[in-house]
Amino acid sequence: MRKQSGGEFRLRVHLAIAAKRPGVPLPPVALAAAQEAAGRVLPVPAADVTARAWRSAAGDTALLSWSNEPDGHGPPVLSSGAGRVAGLTGHLADPADVDRLLATDRPAETTAGTGGVFSIFRAGEGEVSAATGLTRACPVFYAETSDVHVLGSRALLVHLTARAAETGSSRPEIVWDLLALESMARAGYFLSDETPFREVGVLPPASEIVVADGRRTITVLPLPEAQAPPSSRRAARAHVDELAGALLAAVRPLRDGHEPVRLSLTGGRDSRLLAALLHKAEIPFVTATSGQDDSPDVLLAARVAEALGVPHKVARPKRAESGTDLVVPHPRVRSHNVLFACEGMISAYENIPAGGRFDPTPRMSGHGGEILRGGFLQNQAGLDVKALRRRVDGLFGRNDDLLTERAREHALALAAPWRERCREDGARALDHLYLAYRVGRWHAASRASLLRAQNPLPPFLDNLVVRTALRVDPVWRRSEALVHGVIVAFAPRLRDIPIEGRPWRFAAEGRHRTLLDRLRRRAEKPAPGGPPAGKPWNWRMNPSPELTRLLYAGLVDTRGELRAGGLAEIVDRAAVAWLPEARTDVLWHLYTISEMLTNAFSTPAPPDLPPLRIPVPPPGGVA
């Protein structure tokens, strides 16, 4: 059996329960409902799941855990020490750190200062607690009733357990938080600390929840303070060296692995940085790119792989035998996969992989790399106060013309604290907004699906890497000089290979520090194989008539009414009667919600529906 490297492990789910009255045993119905619900809501085959449990002597606290890994494979699912038991999701850079995490009286502080991407759930006599890292890529969900507090790594499991304690039913109904779904309708993920399930919230980044003697306390740590922009080449180099060191520490456990890392490589910045990192760390890896042979990503990724001397493969989108049609899953199958794996917290517009046989090979991709480039600043044009305020308004107001008045008011309330932060420091607000929601909600939901059958190891989300990045001025990070400097330090031969899309920002904006930099910029050639104008064809944004019909049929019934009645609480039916092609992504978001409110979580098995064939336009046929 393959030895696992570092602190990696497969899917692990944890649920901590504490009675509000110390010494009073937990309601048996809540424990029974948790065990029953786990078989329905965990995104892996029930036959592969092994359950473990710990209960206090008084029976007033418990930690329940589930895993799809064989006994004796990898670190223990539950660890014990300092009078407590603990379970982790994600991975530790150093498995020995679990002892510190068990013993600490400051879970959030210790978690945020420990290398890895993880959350921790602990239980002891009369107490339970949980803590998240700086990105909350491994989330902690929580709920409370008149009798119990419930903490867990899966939101629906927390909801059903709490509902069982509240109703006395071992198989309670789901109660939706309809207003919370307004951001799903607008953006396709959550721009809040809410969930689809009523009275279930998620901890903010770098925070802890402690339940002791029946009382709950939530503590949120301030994010690291950014330093002033580097005023000299030496200061800039110090930032580059510090980030390089944190990245090398994040991947150090991979040196013990027996298989090469599989890196999803594109022509962009972030996956290229990972290639340079693995090269510098002398960790064996192979690369693969998804796309057609003439796409910029494929061509540039091949050049990067060749420069580093690593094997490279191209995964081409699945087509029909004729070669003229793209074969894609039926939208109901696609949405079932997304909802079952991601619990209704991301849209079926996203390419979420289906479950399959678990492959322990470590995998990496460039997701989350924007943290090193200023978060939402990385694609922000203007940096004046008005421009930054407009960006926040755009994030919370996008597609709000489709919403009911109550839903718009809800979105405005969520935006208010971020708009206020823009008055103080707009650049830092956008930096932290990206961390809180784009990583902490969008990426966390996507990552939950990957953990079913893959072993994703994201260095960009490592606590120590993120802490190092946040200490660097976000506007200087936005210039991309930091990322470029680390790539060149790790792999100088990548310096002159162009990147897909726009050039390095610091180069495009003319802030070259030396004559050599200016000469290199002039000598750079455009990225090969790029489209002549506009964006590449996207079948989700340019769906076939059949796919469009299916999406609308899942949203609106034959009488013209919204198929999911709850949608009327947040969506104006008249506004969604017709959506232009440029907003087809919103149609996917609404379809996802409709499927969730009507069909989701009834069975882990997807519907048996044939795939669709989408005609592929000829080159240059669609912008």
Side-chain angles (χ1 to χ4, degrees):
M1 184 176 292
R2 177 186 179 272
K3 175 187 175 183
Q4 288 189 306
S5 56
E8 71 188 54
F9 33 74
R10 303 184 182 188
L11 177 74
R12 294 183 174 190
V13 173
H14 302 288
L15 187 78
I17 315 174
K20 280 195 169 181
R21 292 182 291 279
V24 176
L26 295 167
V29 69
L31 297 170
Q35 297 288 1
E36 192 279 334
R40 287 193 291 138
V41 306
L42 299 191
V44 290
D48 295 343
V49 175
T50 300
R52 297 166 178 82
W54 175 92
R55 292 187 67 181
S56 64
D60 56 352
T61 60
L63 180 59
L64 312 180
S65 301
W66 297 265
S67 172
N68 67 339
E69 59 193 304
D71 289 335
H73 189 84
V77 174
L78 287 179
S79 301
S80 60
R84 300 185 178 104
V85 294
L88 289 95
T89 62
H91 75 276
L92 292 170
D94 182 352
D97 283 333
V98 71
D99 294 332
R100 291 193 304 110
L101 293 164
L102 273 162
T104 183
D105 292 327
R106 298 178 176 179
E109 184 177 313
T110 305
T111 297
T114 299
V117 184
F118 65 95
S119 61
I120 183 167
F121 296 83
R122 309 188 308 177
E125 297 295 332
E127 69 168 19
V128 298
S129 63
T132 68
L134 280 168
T135 64
R136 64 169 170 183
C138 297
V140 172
F141 301 100
Y142 63 94
E144 77 173 286
T145 72
S146 58
D147 295 320
V148 298
H149 292 280
V150 187
L151 325 175
S153 57
R154 297 286 292 181
L156 181 54
L157 186 58
V158 168
H159 178 65
L160 293 177
T161 303
R163 287 278 295 153
E166 187 175 36
T167 64
S169 169
S170 61
R171 194 179 175 95
E173 295 288 330
I174 296 172
V175 181
W176 307 105
D177 189 342
L178 295 173
L179 274 182
L181 291 171
E182 60 81 16
S183 63
M184 267 291 295
R186 293 186 301 101
Y189 66 101
F190 276 80
L191 284 155
S192 73
D193 294 339
E194 302 162 309
T195 72
F197 315 108
R198 184 175 296 176
E199 298 178 349
V200 177
V202 59
L203 286 187
S207 62
E208 66 187 42
I209 181 169
V210 177
V211 179
D213 297 323
R215 292 188 295 273
R216 183 183 79 184
T217 303
I218 295 177
T219 304
V220 182
L221 300 181
L223 295 177
E225 289 285 342
Q227 303 173 19
S231 57
S232 65
R233 185 179 299 178
R234 176 179 292 180
R237 182 67 194 184
H239 282 315
V240 169
D241 290 345
E242 187 176 7
L243 179 59
L247 286 166
L248 286 168
V251 299
R252 190 171 294 125
L254 291 171
R255 293 178 178 174
D256 298 330
H258 292 178
E259 296 180 24
V261 176
R262 295 182 189 175
L263 172 63
S264 178
L265 184 62
T266 70
R269 299 151 175 78
D270 301 322
S271 62
R272 180 175 307 192
L273 173 54
L274 292 178
L277 168 62
L278 294 171
H279 171 77
K280 178 67 175 180
E282 299 182 344
I283 295 170
F285 69 104
V286 296
T287 61
T289 307
S290 178
Q292 301 300 335
D293 290 342
D294 59 350
S295 76
D297 274 337
V298 169
L299 295 170
L300 288 170
R303 288 182 62 180
V304 170
E306 182 181 14
L308 298 180
V310 296
H312 179 68
K313 293 183 178 180
V314 178
R316 297 166 183 82
K318 185 177 180 181
R319 292 197 179 192
E321 293 181 2
S322 64
T324 59
D325 292 341
L326 195 65
V327 180
V328 301
H330 190 285
R332 280 198 63 197
V333 175
R334 188 179 175 97
S335 65
H336 180 280
N337 176 48
V338 169
L339 293 168
F340 187 60
C342 308
E343 301 189 296
M345 297 186 214
I346 199 170
S347 169
Y349 175 83
E350 306 296 345
N351 285 315
I352 299 299
R357 185 179 180 85
F358 185 82
D359 181 357
T361 305
R363 295 173 183 264
M364 289 185 186
S365 74
H367 284 169
E370 291 89 350
I371 292 173
L372 310 184
R373 297 188 280 119
F376 279 129
L377 288 174
Q378 53 89 21
N379 59 358
Q380 172 68 22
L383 295 179
D384 59 277
V385 174
K386 288 185 178 179
L388 296 175
R389 184 80 169 267
R390 283 195 302 270
R391 182 66 182 278
V392 171
D393 290 344
L395 286 167
F396 287 95
R398 182 184 181 189
N399 298 313
D400 66 353
D401 58 317
L402 304 177
L403 301 183
T404 62
E405 183 176 354
R406 284 190 67 208
R408 279 197 297 271
E409 290 174 352
H410 186 77
L412 287 173
L414 294 174
W418 294 100
R419 296 179 86 241
E420 185 61 31
R421 287 187 60 177
C422 277
R423 297 176 185 270
E424 304 168 5
D425 188 340
R428 191 177 181 211
L430 280 181
D431 188 24
H432 290 180
L433 188 59
Y434 178 89
L435 190 70
Y437 300 137
R438 188 63 179 172
V439 176
R441 303 311 309 275
W442 183 91
H443 188 95
S446 174
R447 176 176 166 78
S449 72
L450 297 177
L451 288 169
R452 293 179 297 169
Q454 297 181 14
N455 180 21
L457 295 173
F460 297 148
L461 306 186
D462 181 275
N463 286 319
L464 303 186
V465 171
V466 174
R467 184 177 66 180
T468 300
L470 292 180
R471 287 175 174 170
V472 180
D473 176 70
V475 175
W476 189 67
R477 272 188 281 133
R478 171 185 174 271
S479 76
E480 300 178 339
L482 177 64
V483 167
H484 182 269
V486 176
I487 290 174
V488 172
F490 284 161
R493 66 190 71 175
L494 300 183
R495 181 197 296 268
D496 296 324
I497 297 179
I499 54 176
E500 196 277 328
R502 62 174 173 81
W504 292 102
R505 186 184 292 275
F506 69 87
E509 294 180 355
R511 291 195 292 271
H512 307 293
R513 294 190 178 277
T514 67
L515 174 61
L516 182 59
D517 286 331
R518 291 195 291 272
L519 293 174
R520 280 199 181 101
R521 174 72 181 119
R522 292 175 184 173
E524 279 186 1
K525 298 179 181 180
K535 295 181 179 180
W537 177 72
N538 180 342
W539 69 269
R540 296 164 296 168
M541 288 296 291
N542 302 100
S544 67
E546 180 187 10
L547 177 54
T548 301
R549 177 183 60 78
L550 289 172
L551 290 175
Y552 271 110
L555 181 59
V556 180
D557 64 22
T558 55
R559 298 170 299 164
E561 299 296 328
L562 292 171
R563 189 173 295 279
L567 258 180
E569 294 286 327
I570 57 173
V571 174
D572 182 346
R573 168 66 188 92
V576 300
W578 178 82
L579 286 169
E581 185 175 292
R583 298 173 73 183
T584 306
D585 56 338
V586 185
L587 182 56
W588 279 101
H589 306 339
L590 296 174
Y591 178 89
T592 305
I593 298 173
S594 181
E595 285 291 303
M596 178 170 63
L597 297 182
T598 54
N599 299 313
F601 311 123
S602 56
T603 172
D608 185 15
L609 295 168
L612 305 182
R613 295 190 176 198
I614 310 294
V616 178
V622 175

